[in-house]
């Protein structure tokens, strides 16, 4: 859910929000001891790289870490909000 929305949000150029959702999604996958389906990882890698490039190293790392600190409920709220 967060990964798909992060890709959509990245596409509409809200890179900081997308990076937070990518971070939240990674944390969720790790907590479930799960991995991305190989068929979805090409799109994921592309969206993640685009987000990273738009933000730059420091801003991306900060937003990613903010996302990793979100609870599941906060991540869903972030994903569903209209953004800034």
């Amino acid at each position: 859910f967060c990964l798909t929305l992060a890709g959509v949000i990245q596409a509409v150029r809200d890179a900081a929000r997308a990076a937070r959702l990518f971070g939240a999604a990674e944390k969720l996958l790790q907590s479930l001891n799960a991995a991305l389906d190989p068929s979805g990882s090409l799109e994921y890698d592309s969206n993640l790289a685009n987000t990273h490039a738009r933000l730059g190293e420091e801003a991306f790392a900060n937003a990613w870490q903010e996302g990793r600190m979100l609870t599941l409920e906060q991540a869903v709220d972030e994903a569903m909000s209209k953004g800034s």
Side-chain angles (χ1 to χ4, degrees), residues 22-73:
F22 280 124
E26 180 192 76
K27 177 184 164 187
L28 178 61
L29 286 171
Q30 287 177 340
S31 74
L32 297 172
N33 199 27
L36 288 176
D37 182 303
S39 65
S41 53
L42 183 61
E43 182 179 2
Y44 170 82
D45 291 343
S46 175
N47 288 336
L48 188 61
N50 287 335
T51 300
H52 198 160
R54 286 185 181 154
L55 285 176
E57 188 63 39
E58 186 176 347
F60 178 85
N62 289 337
W64 179 274
Q65 188 58 34
E66 287 172 8
R68 290 190 49 82
M69 294 176 4
L70 296 175
T71 66
L72 179 58
E73 293 78 17

